Amino acid sequence: MLFAAAALAGVGLRWAIWGDAAGNVIGSVTEPLIRDGADWPIGGGASTEQTAPSGNQAQPGLEATNGGLDVASIAAAVTPGIVDVNVTVAYSGSQAAGTGMVLSSSGLVLTNNHVIQGAGEISVRSVATDQVYAASVVGYDRSHDVALLQLENAADLATVTLGDSSEVEVGDSIVVIGNAGGDGGEPTSVAGVVAGLNREIVAMGPSGAEQLTGLIEVAADVQSGQSGGPTVNGQGEVIGITTAASGGYSFEESGGAGFAVPIQQALDIVAQIQRGVSVGSVHVGPTAFLGVQVVSSQAEDYGYGAPAGGQAIAGAVVSGVLPDTPAQSAGVQEGDVITGLDGSSISSASELTAALGLLDPGDTVEVTWIDPSGVEHGASVVLMAGPPS
């Protein structure tokens, strides 16, 4: 489910799709996914590198269509491996919902990171059995919008069938399946076609932007709540994780536009998570938490970040401090601008979140901030465990 909210450092509660930009062709080498002590068969085992359409634009004239597919039969085959992901957001208690795909019979579930961002509790309902499981976050990659969950006490679950996203071409027929609207029940299925490859979009919230690259664009009526679910080909094989729908696109006034993370890209991230080491944008295990809500320092937009009539200070502007957290203990207050963490400069809210993503609960770090009067402060704090960011 996509909606905009302030970000908890390091927790961005939700994203909203802001727009797109010209993307670059990217590639990555697929590695075997460790599953229950064995190698997971990944279709093709090829690179995700593909040739982008000229100018990285969708092909004109493409519109949502069933492409001759038997959508009902495809959905019936895929649905047993789908789950509803229901989230209670930490501190606010608000609810959110999305979709997930079962990768292993023992309960590994693939979904979008934005579906579980800020989660205090996660419950997952198997569409096939209607059984509900508590879930924990194994790891996530914010910059690619991928998260891996583990269901508690799960066994003998049906799994999705994985395809090969490197073989996807513009014009291919696809079906998007998931928990449209977050209402639960039987998943909704919509047909469409691949409209573009290696697309780049900007996921935008008050805390700043995340650029998602290498995406498959589809002309299909994708809806919030289907995020984290499968985009499948005509054989019912997963070729992507449905990640975003944008109302700013239309194709011949028929259907909308959606985007999917190529499944090979997602499985590369899953493999890195299973190695158990946080590296780059991949975070493994509990999230280090400072306890502030932050926005980027754009005084003209947020009314923060400019001390005593001066220029806005580059940093993460504190729009709220949560009780009983390291930030509160250190004396950080609303209106302060965090400019440094653990010896590194911080110029935006997203930089603060990214820096915290490389740390662990229990780490001791130095935090530097400037108050609204322009006075600089610093304190040593011990980070606590918090919601996934």
Side-chain angles (χ1 to χ4, degrees), residues 131-165:
Q131 185 168 349
V132 177
Y133 301 88
S136 59
V137 178
V138 182
Y140 54 86
D141 185 333
R142 187 186 317 102
S143 69
H144 294 94
D145 202 14
V146 172
L148 184 66
L149 310 179
Q150 175 63 58
L151 309 189
E152 295 181 10
N153 303 315
D156 301 323
L157 297 181
T159 61
V160 292
T161 300
L162 302 178
D164 186 353
S165 52

Side-chain angles (χ1 to χ4, degrees), residues 29-214:
V29 178
T30 300
E31 301 180 36
L33 168 64
I34 301 170
R35 176 209 175 200
D36 296 337
D39 287 345
W40 182 283
I42 299 174
S47 167
T48 59
E49 186 169 344
Q50 302 162 318
T51 303
S54 175
N56 202 37
Q57 298 299 309
Q59 295 296 315
L62 292 177
E63 61 182 63
T65 172
N66 66 12
L69 298 179
D70 185 343
V71 176
S73 295
I74 291 171
V78 176
T79 294
I82 294 178
V83 295
D84 296 336
V85 180
N86 297 296
V87 169
T88 300
V89 179
Y91 293 97
S92 74
S94 60
Q95 304 294 309
T99 309
M101 296 178 280
V102 181
L103 294 184
S104 75
S105 60
S106 58
L108 279 176
V109 169
L110 185 64
T111 188
N112 284 145
N113 182 58
H114 79 256
V115 170
I116 55 89
Q117 276 183 322
E121 296 181 358
I122 304 172
S123 65
V124 171
R125 183 186 75 92
S126 168
V127 173
T129 66
D130 204 36
Q131 185 168 349
V132 177
Y133 301 88
S136 59
V137 178
V138 182
Y140 54 86
D141 185 333
R142 187 186 317 102
S143 69
H144 294 94
D145 202 14
V146 172
L148 184 66
L149 310 179
Q150 175 63 58
L151 309 189
E152 295 181 10
N153 303 315
D156 301 323
L157 297 181
T159 61
V160 292
T161 300
L162 302 178
D164 186 353
S165 52
S166 70
E167 296 181 351
V168 174
E169 297 181 352
V170 172
D172 286 353
S173 296
I174 55 89
V175 178
V176 176
I177 308 170
N179 182 17
D183 298 327
E186 195 69 18
T188 300
S189 306
V190 293
V193 296
V194 175
L197 302 174
N198 297 297
R199 300 303 305 275
E200 177 178 321
I201 63 173
V202 179
M204 189 72 178
S207 64
E210 289 287 351
Q211 287 191 326
L212 306 180
T213 61

